[in-house]
């Protein structure tokens, strides 16, 4: 396989955009991406668009508006990992020499559902019993606190850190800091999780340009290399699985580290799937950023701060940036791109050379998550 | 007229006060499945058969859902319960979450209510003396 580069990134700011459809959010990001890179429609060999709620043929509806029409185009649905899956498929085409230049994006608009917990649509027995995503993560949180003697304050420390990071991110849904007392005093959602332990349902779009070395060299924008792109599905069973160990993340990350020839200790910044505060602790351990059962100590000690041992979600993560599900994986790549090219502004982690992005998709019956994607990007 | 819908009703076995669930055991790999199935989802063997669980389990994790679908009338307690090789989700209890490790007993109860009437399913109660 040949090297694949990210040579451009663009995001439609996340937030509540009730009047803007998913296709319009994706279009805004893709139009901006082409403007920034100067790529013409004829240069685009293929397009992939990730979305969960954006409707049929979203990728076509977005890309045809900027002249990418006639080429192979796919709309990808992998729940919260849809955007990252779109990037992965684009990476495959470039890595295998089937394409030189691919647009990959993600977009979703969740405002249309109104407030409250996201509707789960797969109709399995747990959903028929009233299962909602916060409840699944709440039970994982209860068991984690129980097994490792962690205090609920560790969960709040995740929210405080990520809201602090997001306060400096102009693309984030929430751009204000919160205190531990704010988190502890927010409305209970599913014990022990409170409102500020949960990411918001947001609207947004994000797009990246994936290309060969030859194309990257011709563009005015800097490029970073994708060292690894891995996607895995959840292992289905209805037995006694350990819900404090997201093995899908561990398995996907192991494949990505092997592909990149890098170890967790090499990583400078991580954008991970903190849909709920407990998720940062679980996934940080599964990604090898902390020892098993120790992430709750690492977060409290500031090891995941922007100036800590490893910067976890310097963009603010899902807790601050928001979670328009299909757009999340793509926007993580954008944030990593800006970090590695020194364009992250107030979010910049000085000297960042290795970035890892991680997103898991969907709570469906019998698996902790239906899909997981891990990307590792480097400055060269 | 009120319709009673029972979630998972086809897999609930009731014998007086004794409530158990139907699970599938695979003879090729010994995996166990709930809800039951005709092909093992681990090894794809069709050498499977259905059998009943016992009527008691142990809570793996639990939460009080305070924001959720109105039909289930939040707050409601949800728990993952380990029973004879399968982990099932169940309503039950009141007020607060069960502690991990709590021994519980299966029963049948109302888990919600829709315009059509009550929504029934298997539920759990703490065994005597357990909390
Ligand atoms: Zn089997």
């Amino acid at each position: 396989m040949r090297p694949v580069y990210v040579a451009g990134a663009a995001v439609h700011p996340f937030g509540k955009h009730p009047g803007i459809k998913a296709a319009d959010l994706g279009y805004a990001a893709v139009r901006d991406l082409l403007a920034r890179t100067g790529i013409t429609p004829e240069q685009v060999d293929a397009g992939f668009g990730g979305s969960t709620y954006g409707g049929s043929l979203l990728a076509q509806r977005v890309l045809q508006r900027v002249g990418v029409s006639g080429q192979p185009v796919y709309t990808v649905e992998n729940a919260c990992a849809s955007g990252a899956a779109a990037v992965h498929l684009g990476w495959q085409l470039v890595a295998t020499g089937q394409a030189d230049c691919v647009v990959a994006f993600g977009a979703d608009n969740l405002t249309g559902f109104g407030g409250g917990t996201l509707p789960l649509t797969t109709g399995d027995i747990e959903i028929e019993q009233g299962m909602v995503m916060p409840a699944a993560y709440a039970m994982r949180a209860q068991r984690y606190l129980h097994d490792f003697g962690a205090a609920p304050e560790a969960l709040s420390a995740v929210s405080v850190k990520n809201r602090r990071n997001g306060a400096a991110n102009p693309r984030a849904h929430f751009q204000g800091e919160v205190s531990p007392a704010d988190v502890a005093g927010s409305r209970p959602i599913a014990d022990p999780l409170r409102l500020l332990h949960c990411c918001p349902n947001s609207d947004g779009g994000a797009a990246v340009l994936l290309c060969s070395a030859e194309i990257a060299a011709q563009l005015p924008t800097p490029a970073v290399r994708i060292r690894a792109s891995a996607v895995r599905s959840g292992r289905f069973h209805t037995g006694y699985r350990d819900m404090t160990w997201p093995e899908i993340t561990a398995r996907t990350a192991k494949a990505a580290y092997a592909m990149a020839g890098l170890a967790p200790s090499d990583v400078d910044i991580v954008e991970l799937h903190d849909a709920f505060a407990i998720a940062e602790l679980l996934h940080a351990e599964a990604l090898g950023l902390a020892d098993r059962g120790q992430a709750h100590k690492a977060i409290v000690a500031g090891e995941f701060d922007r100036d800590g041992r490893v910067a976890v979600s310097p963009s603010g993560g899902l807790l601050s940036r928001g979670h328009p599900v299909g757009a999340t994986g793509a926007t993580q790549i954008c944030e990593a791109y800006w970090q590695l090219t020194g364009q992250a502004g107030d979010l910049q982690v000085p000297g960042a050379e290795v970035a890892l992005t991680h997103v898991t998709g969907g709570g469906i019956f019998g698996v902790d998550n239906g899909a997981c994607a891990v990307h590792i990007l480097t400055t060269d | 007229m009120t319709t009673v819908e029972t979630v998972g009703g086809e897999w609930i076995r009731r014998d007086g006060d004794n409530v158990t669930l139907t699970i599938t055991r695979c003879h090729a790999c010994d995996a166990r499945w709930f809800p039951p199935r005709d092909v093992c989802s681990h090894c794809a063997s069709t050498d499977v058969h259905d059998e009943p669980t016992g009527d008691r389990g142990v809570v793996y994790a639990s939460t009080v859902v305070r924001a959720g679908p109105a039909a289930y009338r939040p707050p409601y307690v949800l728990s993952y319960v380990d029973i004879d090789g399968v982990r099932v989700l169940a309503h039950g209890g009141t007020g607060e979450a069960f502690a991990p490790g709590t021994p519980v007993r299966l029963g049948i109860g109302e888990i919600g209510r829709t315009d059509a009437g009550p929504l029934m399913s298997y539920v759990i109660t703490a065994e005597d003396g357990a909390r």
Side-chain angles (χ1 to χ4, degrees):
Chain A
M1 289 192 294
R2 61 179 182 162
V4 180
Y5 294 84
V6 177
V11 171
H12 182 290
F14 289 14
K16 294 290 184 199
H17 306 300
I20 313 181
K21 294 188 172 85
D24 296 325
L25 294 163
Y27 162 68
V30 168
R31 186 183 62 172
D32 186 15
L33 178 73
L34 296 192
R36 284 168 184 246
T37 57
I39 282 283
T40 63
E42 312 80 66
Q43 287 177 283
V44 177
D45 296 316
F48 295 89
S51 182
T52 302
Y53 299 104
S56 182
L57 298 177
L58 178 90
Q60 283 87 339
R61 285 185 280 128
V62 166
L63 292 169
Q64 68 198 16
R65 289 168 68 177
V66 294
V68 178
S69 167
Q71 295 96 318
V73 168
Y74 302 85
T75 302
V76 183
E77 195 280 305
N78 244 359
C80 314
S82 298
V87 172
H88 173 74
L89 293 170
W91 168 85
Q92 282 190 7
L93 284 194
V94 178
T96 55
Q98 298 173 76
D100 293 317
C101 180
V102 173
V103 171
F105 73 94
D108 259 314
N109 179 303
L110 303 186
T111 304
F113 294 119
T117 54
L118 206 56
L120 299 175
T121 56
T122 45
D124 58 52
I125 184 170
E126 294 189 348
I127 291 170
E128 289 176 5
Q129 290 173 307
M131 180 59 128
V132 289
M133 287 308 292
Y137 278 94
M139 286 189 270
R140 296 169 85 175
Q142 187 217 34
R143 189 75 202 196
Y144 182 90
L145 300 182
H146 172 268
D147 284 359
F148 300 112
E153 287 73 24
L155 300 176
S156 298
V158 174
S159 300
V160 169
K161 170 184 67 81
N162 290 353
R163 290 290 289 264
R164 184 169 63 233
N165 288 349
N169 186 346
R171 300 169 291 278
H173 185 152
F174 293 133
Q175 297 174 24
E177 300 195 21
V178 297
S179 69
D182 293 335
V183 183
S186 63
R187 183 162 63 91
I189 300 295
D191 302 356
L193 302 180
R194 291 174 175 272
L195 184 65
L196 292 180
H197 293 126
C198 308
C199 71
N201 294 344
S202 312
D203 314 320
V208 294
L209 187 75
L210 308 170
C211 64
S212 63
E214 291 71 23
I215 298 280
Q218 296 164 17
L219 297 178
T221 41
V224 301
R225 185 165 164 193
I226 300 182
R227 290 282 175 170
S229 177
V231 173
R232 295 291 186 272
S233 64
R235 284 195 172 131
F236 177 76
H237 65 102
T238 61
Y240 301 167
R241 63 185 188 274
D242 182 349
M243 292 181 175
T244 69
W245 180 247
E247 70 84 25
I248 185 172
T249 291
R251 189 156 38 86
T252 312
K254 186 178 177 190
Y257 286 129
M259 191 184 294
L262 293 168
S265 57
D266 296 317
V267 175
D268 299 314
I269 67 161
V270 175
E271 291 288 340
L272 67 70
H273 192 74
D274 58 333
F276 299 89
I278 181 62
E280 177 159 320
L281 305 181
L282 302 181
H283 293 306
E285 293 176 14
L287 291 170
L289 307 176
D291 289 338
R292 186 77 197 277
Q294 301 299 307
H296 66 100
K297 295 177 186 165
I299 184 76
V300 170
E303 293 179 31
F304 298 160
D305 287 357
R306 235 151 64 196
D307 58 356
R309 177 168 59 79
V310 51
V312 177
S313 296
S315 74
L318 279 59
L319 287 170
S320 180
R321 208 177 54 228
H323 186 29
V325 287
T328 290
T331 207
Q332 291 176 327
I333 305 276
C334 294
E335 296 290 351
Y337 171 79
W338 285 317
Q339 285 283 352
L340 296 182
T341 55
Q343 302 178 86
D346 292 341
L347 308 176
Q348 188 68 48
V349 174
E353 294 180 340
V354 179
L356 182 148
T357 68
H358 157 269
V359 59
T360 57
I364 54 171
F365 173 72
V367 296
D368 287 331
N369 291 103
C372 180
V374 172
H375 285 86
I376 299 175
L377 304 97
T378 61
T379 48
D380 60 45
Chain B
M1 193 185 107
T2 316
T3 320
V4 177
E5 188 190 340
T6 305
V7 175
E10 61 269 51
W11 310 308
I12 300 174
R13 301 178 180 214
R14 183 172 202 169
D15 177 11
D17 286 343
N18 194 50
V19 173
T20 62
L21 300 173
T22 301
I23 62 173
T24 299
R25 181 194 292 264
C26 172
H27 292 294
C29 78
D30 203 40
R32 281 165 233 200
W33 302 97
F34 180 82
R37 51 200 56 227
D38 57 7
V39 171
C40 175
S41 295
H42 176 65
C43 72
S45 171
T46 53
D47 185 13
V48 298
H49 85 279
D50 290 351
E51 61 183 35
T53 61
D55 61 353
R56 286 171 168 79
V58 174
V59 170
Y60 174 78
S62 180
T63 184
V64 186
V65 181
R66 300 185 187 276
Y72 304 96
R73 293 168 300 172
Y76 54 93
V77 181
L78 282 182
S79 307
Y80 275 122
V81 185
D82 292 347
I83 300 175
D84 290 334
V86 298
R87 177 170 296 160
V88 300
L89 186 73
H91 282 246
T94 51
E96 55 187 295
F98 290 105
T102 303
V104 292
R105 182 167 188 160
L106 283 176
I108 293 176
E110 188 175 313
I111 64 167
R113 188 170 278 268
T114 67
D115 292 344
L119 207 51
M120 308 294 289
S121 190
Y122 51 90
V123 299
I124 55 168
T125 50
E127 291 229 63
D128 290 347
R131 142 81 266 142

